Amino acid sequence: MAQINVVGANARTIELELPKANPNLLHEVVTWQLAKRRAGTASTKTRTQVSATSKKMYSQKGTGNARHGDRGAPNFVGGGVAFGPKPRSYAYTLPKKVRQLGLAMALSDRSEQGKLLAVDGFNLDGKTKGFVSWAKENGMDGSERVFLVTDDANARRAARNLTWVTALPVAGLNVYDILRHERLVIDAAVLEPAKTDVPQSNSEGEQQ
């Protein structure tokens, strides 16, 4: 049973049943997430697409040279590429339960390390100075990378100029960003027992 302290207007402790982190499953979820983000725009020209004449270089027989066709063949400089990459999607399907379990494990990992902070109201005016003061009061001095997940637009606006903070709305909660930041700061409402089905993911790895 994980106990998560909540700071803010209604300070309290949230108790959650979180699974023990499994590195293999977390790796699987992160790989899936990053695969969806790949642009897949790499493209090469085949021998029919390069700018080269299609005329046969010289006679098939009698020259003593190797038998060649046109200069667009892959074995010539400037020729086409054989089996080169073409635009494609790298996305694939990962079961919903695996994605949900991965997110729960990522939260569990940060909770076990004491790097998970739940917040019930930031009460900020959108100014960076205000967020820096709030962060110092809660043990964050910029030495750690912070993943801020909140639907409080003023809090996100106040933090967006800080290089050590990545701010996203709750819809952007995802395993990859949790694991690549040392500390997670999240709206307490997301972690309430009634909502522990784990938020659903959208396509670009913005939520599992």
Side-chain angles (χ1 to χ4, degrees), residues 4 44-47 52 58 105 117 127 180-181 206:
I4 303 168
T44 55
K45 291 183 177 181
T46 65
R47 64 185 299 170
Y58 43 72
M105 287 182 175
L117 179 66
K127 302 295 184 180
R180 74 186 185 94
H181 292 81
E206 275 58 58

Side-chain angles (χ1 to χ4, degrees), residues 3-201:
Q3 294 187 336
I4 303 168
N5 294 326
V6 179
V7 300
N10 184 17
R12 59 191 184 279
T13 299
I14 297 176
E15 293 188 348
L16 286 178
E17 285 285 355
L18 294 174
K20 185 175 178 60
N22 182 325
N24 293 327
L25 189 142
L26 289 174
H27 178 271
E28 185 175 355
V29 175
V30 169
T31 301
W32 163 78
Q33 201 175 319
L34 295 182
K36 290 193 304 175
R37 293 185 180 185
R38 292 187 65 174
T41 54
S43 181
T44 55
K45 291 183 177 181
T46 65
R47 64 185 299 170
T48 63
Q49 296 171 317
V50 295
S51 180
T53 178
S54 59
K55 181 182 178 181
K56 187 172 175 63
M57 297 177 64
Y58 43 72
S59 298
Q60 176 81 348
K61 296 179 179 294
T63 66
N65 294 313
R67 296 168 291 183
H68 286 304
D70 62 84
R71 289 190 179 275
N75 54 317
F76 291 115
V77 174
V81 176
F83 308 112
K86 286 293 184 182
R88 53 165 289 195
S89 171
Y90 288 88
Y92 58 92
T93 302
L94 191 68
K96 181 178 177 180
K97 288 186 177 180
V98 175
R99 305 198 308 262
Q100 291 179 329
L101 184 58
L103 183 52
M105 287 182 175
L107 293 173
S108 174
D109 182 69
R110 287 297 171 263
S111 177
E112 288 181 1
Q113 295 180 18
K115 301 294 185 179
L116 174 57
L117 179 66
V119 183
D120 188 357
F122 289 87
N123 296 320
L124 297 174
D125 58 1
K127 302 295 184 180
T128 302
K129 183 177 180 180
F131 182 85
V132 171
S133 297
W134 179 90
K136 286 183 178 179
E137 292 174 2
N138 291 279
M140 291 169 278
D141 57 5
S143 61
E144 295 179 315
R145 290 172 299 174
V146 176
F147 184 31
L148 174 65
V149 182
T150 177
D151 282 335
D152 187 330
N154 282 337
R156 296 201 307 272
R157 186 180 303 113
R160 67 187 179 186
N161 286 333
L162 299 171
T163 58
W164 47 276
V165 179
T166 299
L168 290 177
V170 170
L173 182 63
N174 67 91
V175 173
Y176 175 65
D177 280 323
I178 291 176
L179 297 180
R180 74 186 185 94
H181 292 81
E182 284 82 13
R183 186 180 291 269
L184 172 63
V185 179
I186 189 171
D187 283 347
V190 180
L191 303 177
E192 294 292 350
K195 300 181 181 181
T196 52
D197 288 338
V198 181
Q200 302 305 306
S201 89

